[in-house]
Amino acid sequence: MSRADDSPLLTATDGAVSYSAGQLRAMRDEFQRFVIEYQFGLREVETKISILRDEFLQMHEYNPIEHVSSRVKTPDGIVEKVSRKGIDPDFASIRAHITDIAGVRVTCAFVNDAYRLFDLLTQQDDLTLRVVKDYIAQPKPNGYKSLHAIFEVPVFLSSGRVDVPVEVQFRTIAMDFWASLEHKIYYKYDSQVPSTLLAELKSAADTASELDARMERLHRELRGGSSAHAVTV
Ligand code: 0O2
C-alpha cells in the first residue's frame, strides 16, 4: 500500500505535530547527510593514526599506541548535549557548537607517548588544531586525566570540501582504566555517586598517576632519552 508523500503519517494526540512520509524521509536524509561527514572525518583521522603506528612499528620497532577506538556520537548523545548546553536544535547550530560528534581515543602505554602522538598530529599541515584541553597537566577535580584536542580535517565530497571537527583524546592505559570505571559508576548511580565512592575514585586516580610516573621512569631507564612533555599552542 502506498501513501501520498504529503499525507500526514504521524499526528500527535494533542494535534501539535504531524509529519507526512515525505517530510520524514527528508528529515532522515538530512540527518544521514549530517552524520556521514563525521564518519568520513573519523576515517581520515583513524588512517593518520594507523599510518603513524605502522611507521613506528616498522621503522623504529616501537609501538607508542596500545589501543585506538572511535565512535560517532549517537543521536541520543547529541540530543542530550543539545539540551544540556541549550544549543538551538538545528543542524547548523549543532555543527557549530558540538565539536565531539566524531571522537577518537588513542590509548598509549606512557604519558610521553600520548604527548608525542598529539605533537605528530599537530604537525600535519592538513589538520587544523582548534582547541586543546590538557587534563593531564591539569586534571579535573574528580581525578580525570586525558589530553583532548579538537582537530579539523578536510573531507572531500562530490559537492566539495568540508572541514570536519574530530575530537581526539590521548591517554594512558591507567587513565583509560580509571575513566572507564568512573563512567560505569556514574551510570550505575545515575550521577548521584556517594561521597565515599567519589573519594575512593579520586584516590584511585592518584594511584594511577603514580603508576604512570613510575612506569615512565622505568621505561626511560630501559630505552634512554628524555621525557619532557608539554602542550604548546
Ligand atoms: P562520550 O561517551 O565520550 O561521548 P561536556 O563535558 O560534554 O559537557 P566538553 O567541553 O565537550 O563538554 O567536554 P570535555 O571536557 O572536552 O570532555 C568530554 C568527553 O571527555 C566526555 O564525552 C568523556 O568522553 C570525557 N570525559 C570528560 N570528563 C570526564 C570525566 O570526568 N570522566 C570520564 N569518565 N570521562 C570524561 P561525553 O560526551 O561525556 O561522552
Side-chain angles (χ1 to χ4, degrees), residues 4-202:
D5 260 11
D6 54 355
S7 67
L9 182 67
L10 287 181
T11 306
T13 44
D14 62 3
V17 189
S18 73
Y19 294 110
S20 68
Q23 285 171 318
L24 285 174
R25 267 197 292 275
M27 283 156 69
R28 179 204 58 196
D29 290 350
E30 199 179 354
F31 183 73
Q32 273 174 355
R33 245 194 319 276
F34 174 77
V35 161
I36 206 168
E37 292 177 7
Y38 292 97
Q39 289 168 348
F40 293 151
L42 214 49
R43 227 193 271 176
E44 294 282 358
V45 174
E46 283 169 334
T47 301
K48 286 172 175 298
I49 293 166
S50 81
I51 286 174
L52 287 171
R53 174 194 241 165
D54 290 353
E55 190 217 324
F56 266 101
L57 267 174
Q58 289 176 38
M59 307 305 292
H60 309 290
E61 291 174 5
Y62 177 71
N63 181 11
I65 301 172
E66 288 294 324
H67 182 66
V68 179
S69 62
S70 58
R71 61 102 185 97
V72 172
K73 228 178 186 35
T74 60
D76 279 353
I78 296 173
V79 169
E80 185 277 324
K81 199 154 182 172
V82 163
S83 71
R84 180 161 50 88
K85 302 237 165 192
I87 294 163
D88 288 339
D90 59 79
F91 287 121
S93 302
I94 296 172
R95 211 176 256 122
H97 294 108
I98 304 187
T99 49
D100 66 344
I101 291 173
V104 183
R105 190 168 287 155
V106 181
T107 306
C108 304
F110 304 103
V111 177
N112 207 35
D113 288 335
Y115 282 102
R116 175 146 53 154
L117 262 302
F118 166 79
D119 286 339
L120 289 170
L121 284 184
T122 305
Q123 284 157 19
Q124 299 196 4
D125 60 15
D126 55 342
L127 285 183
T128 308
L129 181 62
R130 288 287 175 222
V131 180
V132 184
K133 292 184 193 166
D134 190 351
Y135 297 124
I136 296 179
Q138 287 170 311
K140 287 194 169 183
N142 62 357
Y144 176 79
K145 289 177 99 175
S146 269
L147 172 61
H148 293 189
I150 311 286
F151 290 103
E152 250 173 33
V153 61
V155 167
F156 295 90
L157 301 173
S158 58
S159 52
R161 169 180 169 153
V162 277
D163 291 307
V164 179
V166 176
E167 183 188 73
V168 188
Q169 299 181 349
F170 305 87
R171 53 172 69 161
T172 63
I173 300 168
M175 293 171 198
D176 191 53
F177 188 27
W178 182 93
S180 62
L181 181 64
E182 192 258 8
H183 185 77
K184 283 183 196 132
I185 290 174
Y186 258 78
Y187 187 75
K188 178 176 157 62
Y189 285 95
D190 197 17
S191 305
Q192 308 295 313
V193 184
S195 58
T196 48
L197 209 43
L198 288 176
E200 279 277 359
L201 275 170
K202 177 66 179 68

Side-chain angles (χ1 to χ4, degrees), residues 206-225:
D206 294 341
T207 306
S209 298
E210 280 160 29
L211 179 65
D212 270 341
R214 286 179 72 180
M215 298 300 268
E216 183 116 27
R217 267 198 308 276
L218 284 171
H219 183 241
R220 215 181 318 141
E221 274 175 35
L222 188 70
R223 292 184 68 97

